Amino acid sequence: DVKVTQSSRYLVKRTGEKVFLECVQDMDHENMFWYRQDPGLGLRLIYFSYDVKMKEKGDIPEGYSVSREKKERFSLILESASTNQTSMYLCASSPPRTPAYEQYFGPGTRLTVT
Amino acid sequence: AQSVAQPEDQVNVAEGNPLTVKCTYSVSGNPYLFWYVQYPNRGLQFLLKYITGDNLVKGSYGFEAEFNKSQTSFHLKKPSALVSDSALYFCAGTTDSWGKLQFGAGTQVVVTP
């Protein structure tokens, strides 16, 4: 079974802090994704990576950056956390360049910025 | 622009009755369509997908979905709902070669005993 793990289930940070969300997958997938989930808005793609050190902006990249130094690990960075970044963050992975495969999701990190 | 719409915020159904969760899509080209389910405080779990071929797709936990190109719909169905089917359901689609998905807003399904 594919396993995608995220470093924290719940996280509380203060405005202005630098926040790191970590995601690890164990299926040697090339593609990895970061989404945020908000009620009534579904999931929105923040960033996407198709290989080590490669990244592409998604629909809502502002205020976020990412890092992928190893194939299995994809980190989401909030450079200076703001209250409007309070949300559920979901990481996912999938096999390489094809739309035909489903994505495998981690359990999510619920981030609260106060 | 590509988009996926779930017109119902919530669907209420009695246990044992048929369950339908609606999804419509607006994408250029041939779409790849997916259904995911999310239980409380959990990540998304894959239910089923339409890639090509047979318009009726069968998936996990007794769910199925019908791809209708003329109506641009991909409704999720289950003949007999269970209380344990109560969850948040997401429809998603893509024509992107990398598989980047557009998600609907989600539909909360409530199955009452």
Side-chain angles (χ1 to χ4, degrees):
Chain A
D1 274 354
V2 176
K3 193 161 187 182
V4 180
T5 56
Q6 295 183 228
S7 52
S8 304
R9 294 298 304 275
Y10 300 94
L11 209 53
V12 179
K13 295 293 182 180
R14 293 191 179 274
T15 301
E17 279 193 83
K18 190 169 186 176
V19 182
F20 293 86
L21 302 182
E22 305 285 338
C23 175
V24 178
Q25 51 96 2
D26 67 359
M27 278 301 289
D28 203 35
H29 284 167
E30 273 74 10
N31 295 343
M32 295 189 76
F33 307 83
W34 273 108
Y35 296 91
R36 64 176 283 175
Q37 179 183 0
D38 300 288
L41 296 177
L43 276 72
R44 293 177 292 167
L45 182 65
I46 304 172
Y47 266 97
F48 158 61
S49 170
Y50 54 90
D51 203 349
V52 175
K53 297 190 186 294
M54 306 304 289
K55 61 185 180 185
E56 279 195 12
K57 293 180 180 179
D59 299 321
I60 52 164
E62 296 78 19
Y64 304 94
S65 62
V66 290
S67 172
R68 192 159 180 208
E69 298 296 319
K70 293 185 177 182
K71 189 176 186 181
E72 67 271 18
R73 188 179 298 269
F74 191 35
S75 302
L76 180 68
I77 303 156
L78 286 66
E79 296 289 343
S80 178
S82 63
T83 55
N84 62 14
Q85 293 179 309
T86 291
S87 186
M88 169 72 93
Y89 290 87
L90 292 166
C91 175
S93 72
S94 70
R97 189 170 186 163
T98 170
Y101 284 99
E102 59 271 23
Q103 294 179 17
Y104 295 85
F105 284 82
T109 296
R110 188 167 294 282
L111 173 66
T112 302
V113 183
T114 61
Chain B
Q2 301 181 83
S3 65
V4 173
Q6 294 178 244
E8 301 157 316
D9 292 336
Q10 184 164 314
V11 169
N12 298 299
V13 62
E15 188 173 32
N17 282 359
L19 169 63
T20 298
V21 186
K22 295 180 180 177
C23 173
T24 59
Y25 65 91
S26 173
V27 298
S28 57
N30 296 317
Y32 297 81
L33 298 165
F34 301 80
W35 276 103
Y36 290 86
V37 61
Q38 185 179 37
Y39 298 100
N41 299 314
R42 303 278 293 276
L44 274 65
Q45 296 178 30
F46 168 74
L47 278 179
L48 51 78
K49 64 184 175 185
Y50 171 81
I51 305 300
T52 187
D54 196 347
N55 290 341
L56 185 63
V57 178
K58 294 188 183 296
S60 306
Y61 312 121
F63 284 94
E64 59 187 29
E66 186 169 10
F67 174 67
N68 188 316
K69 190 170 184 177
S70 62
Q71 297 185 4
T72 62
S73 66
F74 188 55
H75 301 332
L76 182 69
K77 299 181 181 183
K78 187 172 184 180
S80 179
L82 301 172
V83 172
S84 57
D85 293 328
S86 297
L88 186 56
Y89 290 79
F90 288 99
C91 182
T94 185
T95 57
D96 177 81
S97 60
W98 297 106
K100 290 184 287 184
L101 294 172
Q102 290 289 327
F103 281 85
T107 299
Q108 184 70 47
V109 170
V110 178
V111 183
T112 51

